Amino acid sequence: MEIGGGAYAHVVLPKWLKQPGLGESDRRFITELVNGVCRERGVLDPIIAAAAGRPLETLQPAVIVILRMLARQVLRMRVPHHSAVHTSVELAGQRVGERTRGLVNAVGHQIAARDFDQWAGELTAGMDDFGKLAFTTFHPRWIVAAYSKLLPAGELEAALAQNNVPARTTLVLRPGLSDFIESGLLAAGTGFEAARYSPYGGYYDGNPGRLAAVADGGIGVQDEGSQLVALALSRVDARQGWWLDLCAGPGGKAALLTGLALQDGSKLLASEIHPHRAELVKQNLRGYRGTCVVADGRHGAWNTGSFTRVLADVPCTGLGALRRRADARWRKSEADLETLVPLQRALLAAAVESAAPGGVVAYVTCSPLGRETAEIVAAAEDGSFELLQAGDYLPEVPDAATGPFVQLWPHRHGTDAMFLALLRKRGNPR
Ligand SMILES: C[S@@+](CC[C@H](N)C(=O)[O-])C[C@H]1O[C@@H](n2cnc3c(N)ncnc32)[C@H](O)[C@@H]1O
């Protein structure tokens, strides 16, 4: 497993941090180093190659890992150059082989001979503006180009930079199960702050795992944007009845919607294609004693036209949640859209079919890309539904409406970049 791969940040790092004898500052340093290398490797690698004067592929994988950590420390973490080179040389000697000491020492000094801005200036000299911005904000160029189509030019850099800032832990209060007063979270000094927009949300600086209300399912951890799109669906005028969550795993929205449905005198059916993710939904619904069926949302066993509200929170590139997974930006590519787009189209069509006449469908992604959002909705237009003005259902959130849709952004709203379209199925409610 290499540092720079996702498994390192999500599997190995938590184990490392449990090692006995580590102080808080060691933990912070290791976390910042591992996450930083994962997030920035696409920029650190060309620096290492230039410093080594040879293509990266000609270096041993383990040496590349050590040089990535060295470069991250020297160029981005203000670790004194001699100390970073010394520890890297020792690590190489002990873990890779005595013969590698000289190479790591020489390349390490070359890396440290310039600061990050100097490397950026040198390595982006022939590039266009997107290429330069991609380098200095640690993104692949295609993501910069995609974002540039979605945002005013003056916001582009801020939006990309926000993907490098880890998200604040956000809690959600599950309606009817708990409240923040009861949980004691509102008392001074708890590290809790009410969320900006979601009446069910709050930011929390502590470890949610230690809260009793989290353990029993009354409070969950959920991005505020996810809360808002679920809330918007619940606010549209529609009859009481059954609600459907078509792609429910792991179940954050299903839990909030279950609470909102119960308040409405309605009930929610959660459905998910992967059995292990359906288990996670059940876990999230435990406070409501809810369950989740395992089904391909394109061919659910329910009757068409059965549901008064349907959520289609479809699988997507996740480009709106890059701040959550350090390495994600380097693993995704435009080619992913070739399989995602047909699936998204089919799931939206199934969602519309499942809705009762007069019922509402929310089409949601945690990606802002046009091909996964507005274009999917446009392709579904067949006269069977009317597009609602989604912004009308979240009036407390400024700068969220984009035409008939809602598009949230980390740099504007502090949420993931969730997209929401609200559709009303034509026909008279039965
Ligand atoms: C974006 S996630 C949903 C997140 C969820 N709504 C939440 O808030 O926790 C998309 C989910 O769709 C599931 N999925 C993928 N293909 C599906 C299909 N054909 N039918 C139903 N679910 C599917 C994935 O396994 C994944 O759990």
Side-chain angles (χ1 to χ4, degrees):
M1 222 182 292
E2 58 158 343
I3 287 202
Y8 226 97
H10 302 289
V11 181
V12 177
L13 178 60
K15 282 193 197 152
W16 269 5
L17 296 180
K18 284 193 187 127
Q19 284 181 93
L22 284 184
E24 195 43 46
S25 65
D26 298 326
R27 284 206 184 85
R28 266 204 303 274
F29 181 84
I30 295 172
T31 304
E32 166 64 13
L33 178 59
V34 172
N35 284 333
V37 165
C38 292
R39 196 165 52 232
E40 298 172 6
R41 72 178 149 100
V43 168
L44 298 176
D45 286 357
I47 295 176
I48 294 167
R54 57 199 258 197
L56 208 67
E57 308 77 70
T58 64
L59 298 172
Q60 269 177 271
V63 169
I64 297 175
V65 169
I66 290 171
L67 290 172
R68 282 178 179 162
M69 294 196 292
L70 188 162
R72 178 67 179 41
Q73 292 173 72
V74 174
L75 300 176
R76 302 274 301 142
M77 294 170 77
R78 297 169 190 265
V79 174
H81 138 201
H82 285 288
S83 125
V85 173
H86 174 73
T87 52
S88 302
V89 168
E90 287 304 306
L91 186 61
Q94 287 165 20
R95 303 301 290 267
V96 192
E98 285 299 319
R99 286 177 304 106
T100 59
R101 282 176 180 269
L103 174 72
V104 170
N105 185 53
V107 179
H109 284 297
Q110 281 299 323
I111 291 171
R114 295 164 181 75
D115 66 19
F116 179 75
D117 290 344
Q118 287 168 325
W119 277 117
E122 203 166 294
L123 295 178
T124 63
M127 291 184 186
D128 64 5
D129 288 349
F130 286 171
K132 288 186 173 136
L133 196 53
F135 197 97
T136 54
T137 61
F138 308 99
H139 284 77
R141 189 185 183 287
W142 77 271
I143 294 183
V144 177
Y147 267 48
S148 77
K149 294 191 188 127
L150 302 163
L151 285 162
E155 280 184 52
L156 183 56
E157 188 166 355
L160 294 164
Q162 203 60 36
N163 288 338
N164 301 332
V165 181
R168 286 181 87 178
T169 302
T170 308
L171 302 180
V172 60
L173 183 94
R174 268 109 191 219
L177 293 185
S178 179
D179 71 32
F180 288 138
I181 297 175
E182 227 175 70
S183 67
L185 276 168
L186 291 185
T190 54
F192 178 86
E193 187 192 330
R196 256 195 285 182
Y197 310 115
S198 168
Y200 299 99
Y203 315 120
Y204 185 54
D205 290 334
N207 175 359
R210 297 216 180 107
L211 297 174
V214 169
D216 65 26
I219 290 179
V221 176
Q222 185 180 38
D223 174 63
E224 192 177 1
S226 291
Q227 299 179 34
L228 291 170
V229 294
L231 189 61
L233 172 60
S234 77
R235 284 176 172 174
V236 183
D237 204 27
R239 290 199 163 186
Q240 278 182 337
W242 275 92
W243 301 9
L244 172 66
D245 186 346
L246 195 64
C247 308
K253 295 183 195 72
L256 178 54
L257 283 172
T258 297
L260 295 169
L262 292 173
Q263 284 182 347
D264 179 62
S266 296
K267 287 185 176 172
L268 179 111
L269 174 69
S271 178
E272 159 63 45
I273 194 168
H274 296 298
H276 68 281
R277 290 180 71 84
E279 269 311 309
L280 297 175
V281 180
K282 260 166 84 174
Q283 272 295 313
N284 265 311
L285 296 180
R286 66 192 179 285
Y288 297 109
R289 302 190 202 299
T291 191
C292 179
V293 299
V294 176
D296 183 333
R298 293 168 292 188
H299 319 286
W302 45 83
N303 291 329
T304 58
S306 308
F307 298 92
T308 56
R309 294 173 210 265
V310 181
L311 172 66
D313 183 16
V314 299
C316 68
T317 57
L319 236 57
L322 292 178
R323 60 193 186 142
R324 292 192 184 277
R325 289 190 77 96
D327 61 306
R329 68 196 67 186
W330 306 111
R331 287 187 294 108
K332 296 176 190 296
S333 79
E334 274 179 297
D336 300 340
L337 291 169
E338 302 315 316
T339 46
L340 284 170
V341 164
L343 179 58
Q344 292 164 344
R345 283 188 182 196
L347 286 167
L348 176 55
V352 174
E353 275 217 345
S354 306
V360 192
V361 174
Y363 176 78
V364 170
T365 62
C366 63
S367 164
L369 287 194
R371 283 183 67 192
E372 311 185 76
T373 57
E375 288 182 31
I376 299 290
V377 178
E381 289 275 11
D382 61 358
S384 65
F385 62 83
E386 163 205 357
L387 207 50
L388 303 177
Q389 296 297 317
D392 291 351
Y393 298 90
L394 291 174
E396 65 275 62
V397 188
D399 301 321
T402 305
F405 309 123
V406 158
Q407 179 61 65
L408 302 173
W409 288 100
H411 69 288
R412 283 190 197 166
H413 305 106
T415 65
D416 288 347
M418 305 294 301
F419 169 90
L420 166 71
L422 289 171
L423 287 49
R424 169 136 13 232
K425 178 108 167 244
R426 290 193 198 277
N428 290 324
R430 289 192 293 263

